[in-house]
Amino acid sequence: MPLLEMKHITKAFSGVYANEDVTLSVEKGEIHALLGENGAGKTTLMNILFGIYQSDGGEIFYKGESVRFKSPADAISHGIGMVHQHFSLVNRMTVLDNIILGSGGKKEVLDRKQASEEICSLAEKYGLFVKPDELVGSLSVGEQQRVEILKALYRKADLLILDEPTGVLTPQETENFFHVLRRLKDEGHGIIIITHRLSEIMAISERVTILRDGKSVKNLVTLNTTPEELSAYMIGRPLSPKTEDRKKTSKEAALSLEGVSLSKKRAGKMALDHICLTVYKGEILGIAGVEGNGQKELAEVITGIRKHTEGNISFDGSAIDSRSVRERFHKGISYISDDRHMDSLVVDMTVTENMILRTYNRLPFSKKWILDYKKAENRALEAIEEYGIRTSGKSGTRTPVKLMSGGNQQKVILSREISKEARLIVASQPTRGLDIGATEFVHQTLIRQKNQGKSVLLISADLDEILTLSDRIAVMFEGRIMGILNREEADVFKIGLYMGGVTEEGGRP
Ligand SMILES: Nc1ncnc2c1ncn2[C@@H]1O[C@H](COP(=O)(O)OP(=O)(O)OP(=O)(O)O)[C@@H](O)[C@H]1O
Ligand SMILES: [Mg+2]
């Protein structure tokens, strides 16, 4: 008897199917991957299972029993746990409080000491190391994820749903995370994992269910399949990546940083420590490094979100140190942030409104204080066409962004920031959450920008992405540039050394 069976699940939003006759089964002790393009219906299916949405049709059997969860609390009480892509932890509370929050249940007084012991023994058993007294806000993303999993296990989950859990992890963290998953599997837990990375599916799962346009098109045993076959079922045709030829970079600087520093209050360390860096016209400069070594701060001092405390930044030959974010944007510096909800989108606004968020007060969208909504709408339609953005239901450009799938939200940002006017694109994790087709498209688009003489500063935790796209690669460690490698001389090993703060001579600088 399977642990979970979902049969003929159907769900429509304003008359358009997000799930149509979907079937999925998961065994005890199985890691089951759920694969599909952006907007294929993966998150919707899991939200139905977890009681966030009610299906319009179909049946769910859990441990052989017909169930229909009315709410997440209902699903949790039956032994289902879900880790959402955007975590739901309270930053200002400790790890312990986050885990026991809301699980006091019937007991009058919650025994904190006993809870703490129980959490420690769970943590030890599965290798989910966290410190119970630490504030969640001070943890790395990888650590926060461990807290989320502990929270589910503390509530006695037998089935874990993980929606794009590796998107935010560094390669090292992913490795650790997979160890944890294997241990959970060996203990008999069922796991459903959503990921766009085929290599991860091949490495971790027993079986794969593929969704296309809301339908389950194929169920495969991982050992008997290949990444090529997976992608063919997912897209409905083989992926034929066409590679743009790369033009040489010019010798003319677009952006220069001279001795740029950003002091950080915490621990007396510098977030950016005398950075000297030039991005040339027609160049993609990759920034590699373990997340949290100053990459975000670098992007923010260049785009003007933060003010550097030392040094000079110039763009196109003139100093921009005291320019605002908006002024820098109108000079041609655009920004794809790694935190799309925080920095890039207003999720309650529509696709059209988000498209003109940076330019609504300018021609052609605004003339003498009057907004030309038709022009804005056309701009959104172009973006939808070019990036293959799936809006929700029949609302098209008027869809509030929050109703769109994660990958499609990212496409809205990409099409706004990679505009004709952009001359330097600061792109942080640009393909995070995108399916393979869309990732390929974004890569080609960035190379095309470069070939047109524009510049790209590419920050990515994905070394393959850095190596594929960059003309030169700068590696950051503790706020410093450890070294810069040319495309031809860069390899994973050299970059790895720099990432760990080791120079080629073997010593620390
Ligand atoms: N609450 C909602 N209201 C309206 N439409 C919705 C809602 N939730 C999801 N949808 C629509 O359902 C479709 C499937 O979305 P879903 O989030 O399930 O995709 P996904 O496979 O998880 O994609 P991604 O890989 O981008 O995360 C999308 O077209 C989305 O806009
Ligand atoms: Mg999703």
Side-chain angles (χ1 to χ4, degrees), residues 13-14 17-19 36-45 53 85 163-164 194 196 211 390-393 399 402-408 433 435:
F13 292 109
S14 46
Y17 286 113
N19 284 159
E37 291 186 276
N38 296 129
K42 305 177 294 293
T43 299
T44 303
L45 185 68
Y53 294 148
Q85 192 180 7
D163 194 350
E164 294 191 42
I194 299 178
H196 290 293
L211 296 189
R390 280 197 209 195
T391 54
S392 165
T399 306
K402 68 174 172 209
L403 298 184
M404 293 166 59
S405 79
N408 283 296
D435 63 47

Side-chain angles (χ1 to χ4, degrees), residues 339-355:
D339 191 340
R340 52 183 172 239
H341 287 171
M342 190 69 184
D343 302 331
S344 301
L345 293 170
V346 182
V347 292
D348 288 311
M349 299 208 316
T350 66
V351 177
T352 300
E353 288 160 351
N354 273 284
M355 274 317 294

Side-chain angles (χ1 to χ4, degrees), residues 422-471:
R423 286 187 295 147
L424 166 71
I425 299 158
V426 179
S428 182
Q429 324 297 348
T431 59
R432 185 176 276 175
L434 293 189
D435 63 47
I436 44 177
T439 297
E440 190 61 36
F441 175 75
V442 169
H443 285 176
Q444 297 314 319
T445 307
L446 289 177
I447 294 175
R448 220 175 309 127
Q449 302 301 306
K450 158 203 158 58
N451 286 346
Q452 289 166 13
K454 299 177 177 187
S455 314
V456 179
L457 186 83
L458 172 72
I459 302 172
S460 177
D462 181 348
L463 263 191
D464 288 335
E465 175 162 87
I466 294 261
L467 287 165
T468 320
L469 293 180
S470 311
D471 296 294

Side-chain angles (χ1 to χ4, degrees), residues 116-380:
S116 171
E117 277 166 13
E118 204 174 316
I119 290 162
C120 283
S121 85
L122 276 174
E124 196 152 327
K125 183 164 168 192
Y126 296 109
L128 289 158
F129 298 108
V130 290
K131 296 196 190 97
D133 298 326
E134 215 151 336
L135 284 182
V136 159
S138 67
L139 303 180
S140 74
V141 207
E143 289 168 322
Q144 294 193 10
Q145 188 170 56
R146 275 180 260 172
V147 177
E148 285 280 13
I149 296 174
L150 275 174
K151 194 168 136 191
L153 294 176
Y154 182 72
R155 287 163 173 67
K156 309 264 184 292
D158 313 303
L159 177 71
L160 275 176
I161 306 167
L162 307 165
D163 194 350
E164 294 191 42
T166 55
V168 290
L169 299 185
T170 63
Q172 292 83 346
E173 284 174 325
T174 301
E175 210 36 59
N176 289 334
F177 175 69
F178 281 0
H179 280 301
V180 172
L181 293 192
R182 289 196 185 99
R183 230 170 288 174
L184 285 164
K185 176 185 95 168
D186 292 342
E187 290 284 323
H189 287 84
I191 295 169
I192 302 175
I193 179 169
I194 299 178
T195 172
H196 290 293
R197 302 203 183 111
L198 301 178
S199 59
E200 293 183 353
I201 291 182
M202 297 305 292
I204 194 80
S205 72
E206 265 79 44
R207 288 191 298 160
V208 193
T209 293
I210 301 168
L211 296 189
R212 193 193 325 146
D213 293 331
K215 301 185 196 71
S216 43
V217 290
K218 195 77 188 173
N219 176 263
L220 293 161
V221 173
T222 311
L223 273 178
N224 301 337
T225 187
T226 58
E228 290 73 26
E229 188 182 36
L230 290 175
S231 91
Y233 278 118
M234 176 169 86
I235 310 175
R237 58 182 159 75
L239 188 68
S240 53
K242 42 174 187 351
T243 15
E244 298 266 335
D245 292 330
R246 301 177 71 94
K247 286 197 187 145
K248 270 210 162 131
T249 55
S250 81
K251 296 209 165 55
E252 211 181 323
L255 175 83
S256 339
L257 277 72
E258 287 163 26
V260 169
S261 295
L262 179 70
S263 55
K264 206 190 226 169
K265 286 165 210 102
R266 203 150 39 108
K269 271 204 184 137
M270 305 278 266
L272 295 174
D273 192 353
H274 297 92
I275 301 269
C276 293
L277 199 63
T278 302
V279 190
Y280 294 97
K281 291 186 177 167
E283 177 179 53
I284 300 179
L285 179 70
I287 304 282
V290 175
E291 262 184 79
N293 275 282
Q295 296 93 322
K296 176 118 189 149
E297 288 84 355
L298 178 67
E300 292 189 342
V301 300
I302 294 171
T303 51
I305 295 170
R306 283 192 208 215
K307 181 84 186 74
H308 51 287
T309 43
E310 242 181 284
N312 304 304
I313 304 180
S314 58
F315 180 62
D316 229 1
S318 58
I320 56 165
D321 304 88
S322 52
R323 299 282 179 194
S324 68
V325 174
R326 180 175 279 182
E327 285 170 328
R328 292 186 205 201
F329 179 77
H330 290 308
K331 275 180 159 289
I333 301 181
S334 70
Y335 183 32
I336 299 160
S337 163
D338 60 351
D339 191 340
R340 52 183 172 239
H341 287 171
M342 190 69 184
D343 302 331
S344 301
L345 293 170
V346 182
V347 292
D348 288 311
M349 299 208 316
T350 66
V351 177
T352 300
E353 288 160 351
N354 273 284
M355 274 317 294
I356 59 163
L357 216 48
R358 301 256 238 169
T359 41
Y360 64 89
N361 56 346
R362 299 208 142 201
L363 279 170
F365 303 123
S366 194
K367 206 163 153 190
K368 294 202 175 114
W369 305 101
I370 295 170
L371 185 69
D372 187 339
Y373 205 84
K374 191 83 210 128
K375 287 226 167 68
E377 195 107 290
N378 285 338
R379 173 78 179 84

